[in-house]
């Protein structure tokens, strides 16, 4: 394995922003991963794990430690009755994995089509979209425990999955994902409950997997920036979760606002994009090359050459305005690396 020095990180991210890594290693096996971590230990340097770079904003000054890009590949299938267990390397492209399992007629991740990034990133951030969340079909994960320096298998119940969180964000730095295991169904079980999908399939209640994938890709095309033209990391903020009582008060103030219940918690999910759009009227608002995307205000798009500090300044003004206007504190979904 080769450890490079002073590697620009911007090309490794979908934002296309950020300074260099002091050291950079691309690891394709668990042994290479151990070797790179030993190198960082020896130099007493912080380590930052990067997957597809699709949910990060890297500081303009870069990262002064070792950036580890996990490139562990491979997808293995094991048929077990009415389902197939799929073991997939953390470095595989998430959407490549989704497309492959759809070709094999396996159900459970089709609504998560078109999400950029790697499988490792999908597990860490517990990605969700259009009514599905990766933790629904997730069975377990092989991880490298950086404390005990051993490989362990964690069962889904140990991963503490929540809304865009997991044990990997709650205990950041302790584990590095090596392989994820999904249990996917052979039986058709379309989830078309999400409004946009409901509308598209009103006349076709049992669409095939490929058709659902195409519909999701089509919806996404209309909501996210074209990464070939400009940078983005998708939703920049998490949707705030508030108590039922707070949700009721917000609804009195903003009767047209949609709300989403969260079956796994007592809270109610507030669509921050809606508030930015219909209360602050900030859709399309820009500061220094960064702007709130015209088609989805929760997304920040960045023109080529925009700095990380410009993106953060825009994010801070949104945070301030939402707090002043709606009394809600909001959090980043995007991980800031500095
Ligand atoms: N809305 C507006 N204006 C906007 C944006 C949204 O009125 O500018 C309204 C929509 O019409 C809708 C509601 O707000 O009624 C929610 O919007 P949307 O369905 O687009 O989803 P979201 O809550 O903004 C979440 C995820 C996305 C995921 C979509 C679709 C988070 C932080 N974001 O967005 O995930 O793709 O649902 O399921 O949970 C991501 O995490 O990076 C991400 C893109």
């Amino acid at each position: 394995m080769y450890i490079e020095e002073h590697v620009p990180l911007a090309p490794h991210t979908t934002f296309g922003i950020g300074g260099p890594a002091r050291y950079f290693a691309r690891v394709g096996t668990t042994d290479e991963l151990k070797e790179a971590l030993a190198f960082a230990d020896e130099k007493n340097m912080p380590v930052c794990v990067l997957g597809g770079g699709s949910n990060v904003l890297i500081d303009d000054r870069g990262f002064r430690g070792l950036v580890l890009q996990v490139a562990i590949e491979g997808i293995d299938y094991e048929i077990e009755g009415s389902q197939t267990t799929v073991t997939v390397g953390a470095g595989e492209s998430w959407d490549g994995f989704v497309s492959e399992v759809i070709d094999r007629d396996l159900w459970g991740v089709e609504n998560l089509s078109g999400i950029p990034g790697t499988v490792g990133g999908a597990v860490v951030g517990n990605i969700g979209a259009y009514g599905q969340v990766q933790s629904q079909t997730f069975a377990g994960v092989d991880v490298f425990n950086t404390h005990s320096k051993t490989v362990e298998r964690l069962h889904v119940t140990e991963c503490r999955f929540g809304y865009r969180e997991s044990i990997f964000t709650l205990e950041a730095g302790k584990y590095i994902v090596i392989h994820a295991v999904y249990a996917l169904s052979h039986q058709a079980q379309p989830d078309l409950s999400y409004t946009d999908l409901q509308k598209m399939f009103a006349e076709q209640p049992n669409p095939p997997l490929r058709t659902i994938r195409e519909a999701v890709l089509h919806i996404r095309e209309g909501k996210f920036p074209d990464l070939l033209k400009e940078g983005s990391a998708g939703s920049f903020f998490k949707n705030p979760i508030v108590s039922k009582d707070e949700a009721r008060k917000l609804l009195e103030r903003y009767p047209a606002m949609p709300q989403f219940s969260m079956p796994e918690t007592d809270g109610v999910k507030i669509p921050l994009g809606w508030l930015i759009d219909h209360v602050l009227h900030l859709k399309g608002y820009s500061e220094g090359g960064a702007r709130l995307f015209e088609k989805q205000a929760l997304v920040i798009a960045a023109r080529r050459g925009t700095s990380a500090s410009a993106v953060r300044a825009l994010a801070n003004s949104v945070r301030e305005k939402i707090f002043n206007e709606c009394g809600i504190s909001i959090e980043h979904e995007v991980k800031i690396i500095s």
Side-chain angles (χ1 to χ4, degrees):
M1 184 208 31
Y2 179 54
I3 297 182
E4 296 173 81
E5 295 188 59
H6 307 293
V7 173
L9 290 172
H12 291 286
T13 71
T14 55
F15 249 133
I17 290 176
R22 177 67 188 86
Y23 293 99
F24 184 93
R26 191 177 150 81
V27 297
T29 62
T30 311
D31 284 339
E32 285 184 354
L33 175 67
K34 287 183 193 165
E35 224 181 290
L37 289 170
F39 171 87
D41 253 3
E42 209 176 280
K43 289 209 157 10
N44 204 12
M45 259 177 339
V47 173
C48 160
V49 177
L50 201 64
S54 60
N55 203 36
V56 294
L57 177 65
I58 293 174
D59 192 88
D60 298 315
R61 284 162 306 178
F63 184 70
R64 61 187 173 81
L66 169 70
V67 172
L68 256 181
Q69 188 175 48
V70 177
I72 298 169
E73 291 174 356
I75 309 185
D76 294 315
Y77 296 86
E78 210 176 307
I79 300 174
E80 290 170 2
S82 63
Q83 58 181 39
T84 291
T85 303
V86 189
T87 303
V88 50
E92 287 285 345
S93 137
W94 171 264
D95 194 49
F97 157 69
V98 171
S99 172
E100 214 183 287
V101 298
I102 286 175
D103 283 344
R104 288 174 183 249
D105 247 340
L106 298 174
W107 291 80
V109 288
E110 58 285 353
N111 294 17
L112 303 175
S113 288
I115 299 180
T118 59
V119 168
V123 173
V124 171
N126 194 22
I127 58 169
Y130 308 110
Q132 273 179 355
V133 53
Q134 75 82 47
S135 55
Q136 281 172 340
T137 44
F138 180 94
V141 66
D142 295 324
V143 293
F144 185 74
N145 181 328
T146 61
H147 296 184
S148 65
K149 308 211 184 313
T150 54
V151 174
E152 292 173 15
R153 172 153 288 200
L154 301 182
H155 186 256
V156 56
T157 51
E158 293 171 282
C159 293
R160 291 157 63 195
F161 286 121
Y163 169 55
R164 296 295 186 277
E165 71 176 26
S166 65
I167 193 168
F168 312 107
T169 56
L170 296 167
E171 296 185 29
K174 182 166 176 191
Y175 299 108
I176 297 174
V177 177
I178 299 173
H179 298 109
V181 183
Y182 292 92
L184 302 178
S185 174
H186 300 171
Q187 257 114 52
Q189 38 189 231
D191 179 350
L192 308 172
S193 54
Y194 194 85
T195 327
D196 296 355
L197 289 174
Q198 240 177 53
K199 277 187 219 146
M200 283 178 98
F201 291 109
E203 317 270 284
Q204 192 189 358
N206 288 306
L209 272 171
R210 244 316 122 194
T211 311
I212 300 177
R213 173 171 169 83
E214 271 149 27
V216 170
L217 293 178
H218 179 74
I219 297 169
R220 291 185 65 90
E221 241 172 62
K223 285 197 182 178
F224 296 96
D226 179 353
L227 293 176
L228 297 172
K229 296 194 182 127
E230 55 188 343
S232 181
S235 302
F236 195 87
F237 302 99
K238 288 188 184 181
N239 281 314
I241 314 285
V242 302
S243 68
K244 288 199 172 109
D245 203 40
E246 278 175 90
R248 202 174 316 114
K249 284 182 195 146
L250 283 166
L251 206 55
E252 274 165 26
R253 266 178 87 183
Y254 313 117
M257 181 181 76
Q259 295 191 347
F260 305 93
S261 62
M262 299 217 72
E264 65 273 37
T265 67
D266 268 351
V268 176
K269 191 156 86 175
I270 301 297
L272 180 59
W274 190 93
L275 290 175
I276 298 174
D277 184 4
H278 299 275
V279 176
L280 300 182
H281 303 290
L282 283 182
K283 209 144 98 169
Y285 172 75
S286 73
E287 277 183 26
R291 74 181 195 290
L292 298 170
F293 193 54
E294 292 75 12
K295 297 173 184 166
Q296 165 50 289
L298 200 53
V299 170
I300 294 185
R303 261 200 336 250
R304 298 276 172 248
T306 301
S307 65
S309 54
V311 174
R312 291 175 80 165
L314 173 64
N316 284 338
S317 13
V318 172
R319 189 171 330 105
E320 237 175 74
K321 290 183 166 101
I322 281 286
F323 187 78
N324 292 342
E325 180 62 36
C326 311
I328 301 176
S329 303
I330 59 173
E331 287 172 36
H332 293 167
E333 193 213 282
V334 168
K335 184 178 168 205
I336 301 199
I337 296 173
S338 58

